[in-house]
Amino acid sequence: MANRKQQRRQMLRKALGRRIQLFRQVRGITQGHLGLEVGVSQGQVSKWEMGDKEPTYLEMLDVVRVLQRQMDDFSDLLGSTPQIEVVHRHYSEPPSMGEHTQGQA
């Protein structure tokens, strides 16, 4: 069972990497430029795109911003990491009645 779960996670990680690479190429930017904008090395971006590593949730937010995409463009793959899943849920759901946005009383 654990092996199957690991295989699925690896498959999602590779698919997420391919999607990052596709959107990066569509924007016409290099791995180095994306890394600079996100605050990681070109090598780290390469590892994401190869599916060897996953971006953290904060890195993923920056990736989405730099690539001028929306989190929904990755929503089918975001469950690949628990951290990203939590952030996606947070940014995809409207605030509850009790939540206040910054600057509001």
Side-chain angles (χ1 to χ4, degrees), residues 2 15 28 34 37 39 43 50 54 70-71 73 75-76 85 92 96 104:
L34 178 58
E37 292 290 324
M50 296 296 294
E54 303 171 75
Q70 295 184 5
M71 200 60 93
D73 294 324
S75 64
D76 58 325
E85 189 175 310
S92 297
S96 67
Q104 288 183 333

Side-chain angles (χ1 to χ4, degrees), residues 18-61:
R18 286 191 302 268
R19 182 97 33 101
I20 291 170
Q21 181 182 39
L22 172 69
F23 290 146
R24 177 184 61 76
Q25 290 172 338
V26 166
R27 289 262 309 143
I29 61 176
T30 65
Q31 288 178 340
H33 180 82
L34 178 58
L36 183 66
E37 292 290 324
V38 174
V40 300
S41 68
Q42 176 272 329
Q44 186 70 11
V45 174
S46 177
K47 288 177 183 179
W48 295 342
E49 291 183 359
M50 296 296 294
D52 295 335
K53 296 277 184 179
E54 303 171 75
T56 67
Y57 63 94
L58 292 176
E59 291 166 344
M60 192 64 206
L61 290 174

Side-chain angles (χ1 to χ4, degrees), residues 3 6 8-9 16 20 25 27-29 38 46 51-52 56-58 64 67 72 78 80 88 90-91 95-98:
N3 191 25
Q6 288 173 338
R8 177 166 164 47
R9 184 175 175 146
L16 178 61
I20 291 170
Q25 290 172 338
R27 289 262 309 143
I29 61 176
V38 174
S46 177
D52 295 335
T56 67
Y57 63 94
L58 292 176
V64 168
L67 297 180
D72 285 345
L78 291 176
S80 62
H88 177 66
H90 176 77
Y91 283 93
S96 67
M97 296 297 284

